[in-house]
Amino acid sequence: MATVYYEKDADRANIADRKVAVLGYGSQGHAHALNLKESGIDVVVGLREGSSSKAKAEEAGLTVLTNAEAAKVADVIMMLLPDTEIAAVYEADVAPNLNPGDALFFAHGFNVRFGYVQAPEGIDVALAAPKGPGHLVRRTYTEGGGVPCLIAVEQDATGKARDLALAYADAIGGTRAGVIETTFTEETETDLFGEQAVLCGGLTALVQAGFETLTEAGYQPEMAYFECLHELKLIVDLMYEEGIAGMRYSISTTAEYGDLVSGPRLITPAVKAEMKNVLDDITSGKFAEQFVNEVKSGGANFDALRKAGAEHQIETVGKELRGMMPWISAGKKSVTEISGGD
């Protein structure tokens, strides 16, 4: 079992005299920058020229510089940009401004694990990754809590990289909930696999296949939507709160029995074997290369896949049904209405 570190295990003094540059002010960027600031850490935000996020960051009381300026004045640089943008920003703005003893931080190991960013000798390279979205990292911090965090060290030039990573996690609230030490390789590969095989890819394909099976058998699309998508939140919430066993305890005996006898008919050894192929593509770097090349080439296939998903019947039916349930979105903006930050 992994060791879990809490506030008593972190020494804030390891980051107290450092200047941190948070590059990016999106979901994670705004949370890290504000939490660090309110923890008494000297922090600046780095953004590209003309960024729409500059005004928001300044209104929050943060100092905003260009990415290059921020990297130059700081000795801890946290890269909180999209995975496909990090390498270019690193080469153009960060690498020329690194000095021996500086620390390069990430919240996801993708670019380091697959070699898109290779820091020179003399630079600490570490990970401080909250296991939750930025808005939750920020909200729980303001409420006196925190989101569990991962830390890892890829390059320990100073001999103090781990202590610095733990202090950083402490300053954004992670030690209030618990911090687990991992490696860049483990964090990256498990994160990508979870997204592709279960949380996103596996789940969406399963939901769509279930919906199609019912509608092709003549059942009303509205019924198929309720049974294959809408009620999913109930099950996920139960699993989130009590685990799989707790979920099974809470549902009807009919549902529990159906779960136990039919689940293995769907997730067969062949499906698990294909999951292994997905994992192999991740660990070999094949997926990373495919993804980066797709984005670099303009993303035509990416856009086509997005378009096909958005035009699936489950989306049109779901939109109509959600319109009958205003409590779902009460007081919230649609995710498609929220513009992403830098």
Side-chain angles (χ1 to χ4, degrees), residues 94-119:
V94 177
N97 292 300
L98 290 174
N99 297 302
D102 284 357
L104 187 63
F105 270 45
F106 298 83
H108 180 37
F110 184 95
N111 278 274
V112 172
R113 165 62 181 86
F114 297 114
Y116 296 107
V117 171
Q118 298 181 37

Side-chain angles (χ1 to χ4, degrees), residues 3 7-8 23 49 52 77 80 102 144 210 216 228 281 284 295:
T3 301
E7 289 177 282
K8 63 180 176 56
L23 304 193
E49 294 278 5
S52 60
I77 299 106
L80 292 177
D102 284 357
E216 289 167 6
C228 294
D281 283 351
S284 69
V295 174

Side-chain angles (χ1 to χ4, degrees), residues 149-165:
C149 211
L150 302 178
I151 61 168
V153 174
E154 183 74 9
Q155 185 165 294
D156 190 6
T158 66
K160 299 178 180 179
R162 179 185 174 281
D163 292 340
L164 180 60

Side-chain angles (χ1 to χ4, degrees), residues 20-37 43-47 53 57 60 62 78-82 107 130 132-135 137-138 168 172 341-342:
V20 179
V22 173
L23 304 193
Y25 199 71
S27 175
Q28 289 290 335
H30 93 282
H32 285 234
L34 291 171
N35 290 7
L36 288 166
K37 181 176 184 290
V43 60
V44 298
V45 172
L47 296 173
S53 297
L62 293 160
M78 170 55 95
M79 307 290 287
L80 292 177
L81 301 159
H135 73 270
V137 175
R138 178 60 183 152
Y168 184 103
I172 61 172
D342 295 271

Side-chain angles (χ1 to χ4, degrees), residues 208 290 294 299-312:
Q208 288 175 338
Q290 177 187 355
E294 173 69 23
N301 183 56
F302 198 173
D303 289 340
L305 292 171
R306 280 173 169 162
K307 185 173 185 290
E311 292 175 351
H312 192 284

Side-chain angles (χ1 to χ4, degrees), residues 46-312:
L47 296 173
R48 60 178 172 77
E49 294 278 5
S51 170
S52 60
S53 297
K54 182 178 180 181
K56 289 185 288 185
E58 290 179 336
E59 287 171 7
L62 293 160
T63 299
V64 179
L65 305 172
T66 66
N67 286 322
E69 291 169 342
K72 186 173 184 178
V73 301
D75 55 20
V76 177
I77 299 106
M78 170 55 95
M79 307 290 287
L80 292 177
L81 301 159
D83 286 332
T84 52
E85 295 179 16
I86 283 178
V89 171
Y90 171 78
E91 290 297 332
D93 300 323
V94 177
N97 292 300
L98 290 174
N99 297 302
D102 284 357
L104 187 63
F105 270 45
F106 298 83
H108 180 37
F110 184 95
N111 278 274
V112 172
R113 165 62 181 86
F114 297 114
Y116 296 107
V117 171
Q118 298 181 37
E121 293 181 7
I123 304 299
D124 287 338
V125 180
L127 178 89
K131 296 306 294 178
H135 73 270
L136 193 61
V137 175
R138 178 60 183 152
R139 179 171 63 78
T140 55
Y141 178 92
T142 62
E143 294 171 348
V147 168
C149 211
L150 302 178
I151 61 168
V153 174
E154 183 74 9
Q155 185 165 294
D156 190 6
T158 66
K160 299 178 180 179
R162 179 185 174 281
D163 292 340
L164 180 60
L166 188 55
Y168 184 103
D170 179 58
I172 61 172
T175 55
R176 298 173 180 177
V179 174
I180 295 174
E181 190 168 5
T182 181
T183 65
F184 271 70
T185 294
E186 184 175 58
E187 184 277 334
T188 303
E189 293 175 0
T190 57
D191 183 78
L192 292 176
F193 177 79
E195 291 169 350
Q196 294 174 34
V198 181
L199 304 177
C200 303
L203 179 60
T204 56
L206 182 66
V207 169
Q208 288 175 338
F211 177 89
E212 291 167 2
T213 300
L214 287 176
T215 55
E216 289 167 6
Y219 296 99
Q220 296 180 79
E222 293 79 6
M223 293 299 296
Y225 178 87
F226 277 123
E227 299 305 330
C228 294
L229 190 153
H230 179 77
E231 292 190 24
L232 189 64
K233 184 180 186 307
L234 168 65
I235 302 303
V236 170
D237 283 350
L238 289 170
M239 291 171 64
Y240 180 82
E241 294 166 8
E242 299 287 345
I244 293 174
M247 177 273 290
R248 286 173 172 163
Y249 178 82
S250 299
I251 60 180
S252 69
T253 53
T254 309
E256 181 187 10
Y257 183 74
D259 167 355
L260 294 169
V261 299
S262 297
R265 295 177 61 187
L266 299 169
I267 308 304
T268 62
V271 173
K272 190 173 178 181
E274 195 57 42
M275 285 184 171
K276 178 63 165 58
N277 291 334
V278 169
L279 182 58
D280 288 344
D281 283 351
I282 291 167
T283 58
S284 69
K286 181 179 178 180
F287 168 77
E289 182 179 8
Q290 177 187 355
F291 171 56
V292 170
N293 289 340
E294 173 69 23
V295 174
K296 281 184 177 179
S297 68
N301 183 56
F302 198 173
D303 289 340
L305 292 171
R306 280 173 169 162
K307 185 173 185 290
E311 292 175 351
H312 192 284

